Amino acid sequence: MTTAPHDLHTSAGSPEPGPPGPPSRPGGAARLWRGRAEDPVWARPALIALLALTGALYLYDLSASGWANSFYSAAVQAGGESWKAFLFGSSDAASSITVDKPPAALWPMALSVRLFGLGSWQILVPEVLMGVAAVAVVHAAVRRRFSAAAGLIAGAVLALTPVAALMFRFNNPDALLALLMTVAVYCVLRALEAARTGWLVWAGVAVGFAFLTKTLQAFLVLPPLALVYAVCAPAPVRRRFGQLALAGLALIVSGGWWVAIVELWPASSRPYIGGSRNNSFLELTFGYNGLGRISGNETGSVGGEGGGGRQGGGWGETGIGRMFGESVGGQISWLLPAALVLLVAGLVVTRRSGRTDTARAAFLVWGGALLTTLLVFSFMAGIFHEYYTVALAPYLAALIGMGTTVLWEERAHPAARAALAGAVALTALWAHVLLGRTADFAPWLRPAVPVAGLVAAAGLLCAGRLGRGLALGAAGLGLAASLAGPVAYTLSTLGSAHRGSIVTAGPESPRGGPGGRGDGGPAMTPPGAGAGRGPGQGPGQGGAGRGPGVPPGTGQGAGLSPGTGQGQGHGGRAWGERPGGAGRAGGLLDGPDVGSAVAARLTENASDHTWVAAAIGSQNAAAYQLATGKPVMAIGGFNGSDPSPTLARFQQYVAEGRIHWFIDGGAGGGGRPGGPGGGGSAEIRAWVRANFTQVTVGGTTLYDLTSAH
């Protein structure tokens, strides 16, 4: 295949300055609607329609998930009441312990709650806006160097990726992480146009805040971004490395200011750092949330230590096939084979371009980000959840948009037609496999997609000899066939409630879960995590109800129909839910349903105490906190295994009258003798049971810590 850098520059909308004296352009609203002078008339209206449709789809029935992940919703509620809890990311407004991540992802939601009050929409709408922003940034990044069609295809692919539709409607940190990493890539591409230091510094800032979102995962793209800039930027070598040093400094400052505050703040007057063993954010960063995720040696995690090996420590078999496997394939892999083909094709097309060619640099940057993240996710032996793959979605979408349009422009060459046709055929055949994993879902789609894809591929092979109309028809059919599977899974995701710590996109499979996951498979059954889990129950996908998010004080489980306790979502029940949908008992990965009688009892004389109650495990504490609107201490943090508080400190709090009730039950490693936490939570439970009066309210066992035997 011959290189055609001239064609790429002229037809793809190069950012290079044009000749002097450009035609005048309209201003104001007309300019916003029209876009670039060189754009076709449909380009800007199509972009506006894409963003509006993305927002509308993601907002659809948003409150069905209620509090979504109550672990983070409780921290948002706390941050909406206390600036100290806001700063540290505390689980409760009294700041007993933090979530096991830095707090940047909580800040937009907490600000929304401060402005508009506490509720499901107030928590989740910021996530939707992040999704719309990510689509806009991907479009802008691709459009600057390639055609308007390339930008629109890239944006649409991102919006319609099932795991993206899931996470941009959910309150885990991954939505903000995906947006910030997309912004970082955009800034690097802008910097590569003319060796612009400012844009490279902004890229460092984006990565720094991504670090404050999900720690070391933000650094996965640093090697390809830095390497491509060091090689391809149009500046002398010395200047390039100086600019990279400034970007690194910006990263350290933007990501390090909060770390410095936490590490320098006296431990006695700040919350315990959740997920750490020694109350240290640095230990959390490089251990449980860092290198431990790679090696599987995650002290204090769900599965405890020593999870390494080919089986991923109970988190699924590692290896290059992981992204295509039963539990992950339906989330992200629909267009992944095509993206890899188009990456290679794009590099072939631009292989003879100059060192500073921005088209080749774009393929290298997006492709490098995809490959490094893909490899780490494939081989990491520690905790791995399917929804992590949303990080791949922007990179994959950009490669699809760039690669398809570049090959379309080169369609006069047989090799370009063959590559484009092969990508379409491969995508259609892979969709046939993925759809077979959920055979009862839209059964007509499984045979239709490969037929349409193969017909389109045949047409694309002959595109050089067909008229423009027929060639465009084949291309349109190929695009429709390629997107049919992910669109169907995305619509299924948008129509379902999702609740708990592990959620997945797509329809429920007869084999036991969304996307074809087999129930009880190693990828979804971490050691020791099945506390309270009924037989045959699939983890993760929220069988949470369809009702609206429930404000504090109502006592109804978030997202559940009042009085029924039954969820109407698909995809199996959350961890700890009782068989038959009769309400959730609570557990490690989701909280229990809290009745109005329990909520009322817990809030009696609430102003006399710092915490109205204490419960083992953050998910259990979060459910009671959201139901009462009052601080509830999470003993042992997320897993119930953190050494916070110690028995002695808990006894001191009780003696001072700072905790009113102890809520018995719940799951967590520390709640089990010999669990990862060394039995600390179990010691507290045993001491409470031995010394205080038991009260049963609405089937919940409470101990009044102001009334000793």
Side-chain angles (χ1 to χ4, degrees):
M1 185 183 302
T2 59
T3 307
H6 176 71
D7 289 343
L8 289 176
H9 280 278
T10 56
S11 64
S14 170
E16 305 292 337
S24 61
R25 298 176 59 190
R31 181 175 178 178
L32 176 65
W33 182 258
R34 176 66 180 86
R36 297 182 181 187
E38 66 273 18
D39 275 351
V41 294
W42 52 262
R44 185 54 61 94
L47 170 61
I48 294 172
L50 171 64
L51 298 180
L53 183 60
T54 300
L57 285 174
Y58 286 4
L59 287 171
Y60 171 75
D61 203 16
L62 186 63
S63 62
S65 296
W67 300 121
N69 189 342
S70 57
F71 173 61
Y72 292 117
S73 290
V76 168
Q77 182 258 349
E81 294 185 1
S82 164
W83 285 113
K84 182 177 181 180
F86 178 93
L87 173 64
F88 289 107
S90 304
S91 292
D92 62 85
S95 291
S96 61
I97 193 170
T98 71
V99 299
D100 58 357
K101 302 286 188 300
L106 302 174
W107 292 338
M109 294 182 283
L111 291 175
S112 174
V113 166
R114 281 183 175 270
L115 289 172
F116 304 109
L118 180 65
S120 180
W121 269 68
Q122 293 90 319
I123 290 174
L124 297 179
V125 165
E127 308 299 289
V128 171
L129 296 178
M130 291 174 197
V132 175
V135 171
V137 174
V138 166
H139 172 275
V142 173
R143 174 65 190 95
R144 277 193 67 83
R145 184 57 192 82
F146 299 89
S147 66
L152 289 170
I153 291 172
V157 168
L158 173 57
L160 297 173
T161 299
V163 71
L166 170 71
M167 295 315 297
F168 287 126
R169 290 163 46 90
F170 204 72
N171 60 335
N172 278 14
D174 301 77
L176 180 59
L177 178 71
L179 172 60
L180 288 171
M181 301 317 299
T182 306
V183 169
V185 173
Y186 172 82
C187 291
V188 169
L189 292 173
R190 291 294 302 268
L192 280 164
E193 292 175 5
R196 297 167 180 167
T197 303
W199 282 109
L200 199 62
V201 168
W202 280 116
V205 171
V207 176
F209 274 93
F211 173 80
L212 291 183
T213 301
K214 210 172 178 189
T215 59
L216 296 185
Q217 186 176 332
F219 294 169
L220 294 183
V221 301
L222 285 182
L225 296 188
L227 181 60
V228 172
Y229 191 85
V231 173
C232 300
V237 173
R238 184 173 180 179
R239 185 180 178 207
R240 280 178 258 160
F241 281 95
Q243 291 172 317
L244 287 170
L246 287 174
L249 179 62
L251 187 160
I252 292 171
V253 171
S254 60
W257 65 271
W258 184 84
V259 179
I261 289 175
V262 172
E263 292 299 312
L264 295 175
W265 197 294
S268 59
S269 63
R270 63 160 170 78
Y272 186 91
I273 304 302
S276 72
R277 313 307 301 154
N278 299 307
N279 198 13
S280 167
F281 178 75
L282 292 178
E283 179 219 329
L284 173 68
T285 298
F286 293 101
Y288 172 62
N289 274 343
L291 300 179
R293 298 290 174 112
I294 305 298
S295 66
N297 187 19
E298 299 164 293
T299 301
S301 75
V302 176
E305 299 90 332
R310 190 166 181 265
Q311 289 298 321
W315 299 100
E317 185 172 346
T318 60
I320 200 64
R322 183 184 235 178
M323 297 300 104
F324 303 93
E326 287 283 328
S327 67
V328 182
Q331 312 297 300
I332 190 65
S333 74
W334 300 88
L335 296 170
L336 184 53
L340 298 175
V341 170
L342 294 173
L343 170 60
V344 174
L347 293 176
V348 170
V349 169
T350 59
R351 70 189 183 281
R352 294 180 184 171
S353 301
R355 176 182 64 84
T356 61
D357 180 70
T358 53
R360 182 174 61 186
F363 278 105
L364 290 171
V365 167
W366 290 111
L370 176 70
L371 290 175
T372 54
T373 308
L374 178 68
L375 289 173
V376 171
F377 283 176
S378 296
F379 290 95
M380 59 186 286
I383 294 175
F384 176 80
H385 299 312
E386 290 91 337
Y387 64 78
Y388 290 179
T389 58
V390 70
L392 299 170
Y395 316 143
L396 184 153
L399 288 171
I400 294 294
M402 297 187 306
T404 53
T405 53
V406 164
L407 291 181
W408 176 255
E409 292 164 6
E410 296 285 318
R411 64 188 180 278
H413 198 292
R417 297 197 302 272
L420 188 56
V424 170
L426 182 61
T427 300
L429 294 174
W430 178 237
H432 181 73
V433 174
L434 291 175
L435 290 167
R437 296 176 180 175
T438 52
D440 293 338
F441 172 73
W444 60 270
L445 194 59
R446 190 184 184 203
V449 166
V451 170
L454 293 176
V455 170
L460 290 170
L461 279 175
C462 303
R465 296 189 295 273
L466 297 176
R468 181 171 176 81
L470 288 176
L472 284 173
L477 180 62
L479 185 62
S482 298
L483 291 178
V487 166
Y489 265 49
T490 292
L491 293 177
S492 172
T493 302
L494 297 177
S496 306
H498 299 86
R499 183 176 175 184
S501 293
I502 299 179
V503 289
T504 49
E508 183 177 3
S509 165
R511 283 175 282 183
R517 185 187 70 240
D519 182 47
M524 296 298 298
T525 312
R533 182 179 172 202
Q537 291 173 249
Q541 182 82 6
R546 306 290 294 176
V550 182
T554 65
Q556 299 294 340
L560 296 176
S561 303
T564 67
Q566 291 188 339
Q568 299 172 25
H570 76 274
R573 293 174 286 275
W575 290 84
E577 185 184 352
R578 294 171 184 151
R584 292 168 303 107
L588 180 63
L589 299 179
D590 199 7
D593 295 333
V594 180
S596 57
V598 176
R601 178 63 66 91
L602 293 179
T603 53
E604 291 177 357
N605 304 315
S607 60
D608 296 338
H609 309 278
T610 305
W611 295 276
V612 297
I616 294 177
S618 293
Q619 287 285 14
N620 291 294
Y624 293 98
Q625 180 170 303
L626 290 167
T628 62
K630 303 296 181 181
V632 175
M633 177 185 289
I635 298 173
F638 183 82
N639 299 317
S641 61
D642 295 345
S644 172
T646 62
L647 176 59
R649 176 61 63 89
F650 186 83
Q651 290 170 334
Q652 178 184 346
Y653 288 149
V654 172
E656 295 170 352
R658 299 182 66 185
I659 310 174
H660 190 177
W661 298 96
F662 176 83
I663 303 168
D664 207 352
R672 304 186 309 271
S681 300
E683 291 176 357
I684 291 174
R685 174 184 280 153
W687 178 75
V688 168
R689 287 174 173 175
N691 292 279
F692 295 92
T693 303
Q694 176 182 320
V695 178
T696 301
V697 180
T700 300
T701 300
L702 307 176
Y703 287 86
D704 186 351
L705 300 182
T706 65
S707 176
H709 289 322

